[in-house]
Amino acid sequence: MDETQWDIKEVKRLKKKQLVQYNLLMLLIFVLFGYLVENNKEFVLNVFFAVFFWWITAIMLYTLNTGKPIGTKTSRRLQEFDRDRL
């Protein structure tokens, strides 16, 4: 898609939607972190973070190798926009 074909209002709406999604995810992780620390579950906390970081790494490697982004429809669309803008 040519960059002049992108609807900037739609892209702004999608970026706001993605920001809200990321903020909710971070809030959930923060609450889970606080719960696990409060209940002295360090092992579970370490396992959670290890799985979380391996999951992120796997997604990044898949995207780098195939060029196909993984994620919600919003995130894939925004990645297309960012790729076109660069």
Side-chain angles (χ1 to χ4, degrees):
M1 234 184 215
D2 191 276
E3 70 181 61
T4 57
Q5 294 178 341
W6 287 96
D7 181 16
I8 298 301
K9 288 183 181 180
E10 177 69 13
V11 171
K12 284 183 179 181
R13 187 185 69 76
L14 291 174
K15 286 204 179 253
K16 286 178 186 175
K17 181 179 178 182
Q18 187 178 42
L19 179 65
V20 169
Q21 289 173 345
Y22 284 160
N23 283 339
L24 288 174
L25 178 64
M26 289 300 123
L27 180 63
L28 176 67
I29 290 171
F30 183 74
V31 168
L32 181 63
F33 177 79
Y35 171 76
L36 293 173
V37 167
E38 189 68 28
N39 291 315
N40 294 324
K41 307 238 181 194
E42 289 86 9
F43 178 75
V44 175
L45 186 64
N46 289 335
V47 170
F48 170 75
F49 278 114
V51 169
F52 180 71
F53 288 125
W54 276 111
W55 177 62
I56 290 173
T57 303
I59 289 173
M60 290 175 139
L61 285 174
Y62 177 81
T63 302
L64 282 173
N65 288 336
T66 63
K68 298 177 186 176
I70 294 179
T72 63
K73 185 177 179 182
T74 301
S75 67
R76 289 192 306 258
R77 187 111 166 95
L78 288 174
Q79 286 177 17
E80 284 178 34
F81 171 76
D82 290 339
R83 206 173 300 121
D84 283 349
R85 295 287 288 191
L86 291 176

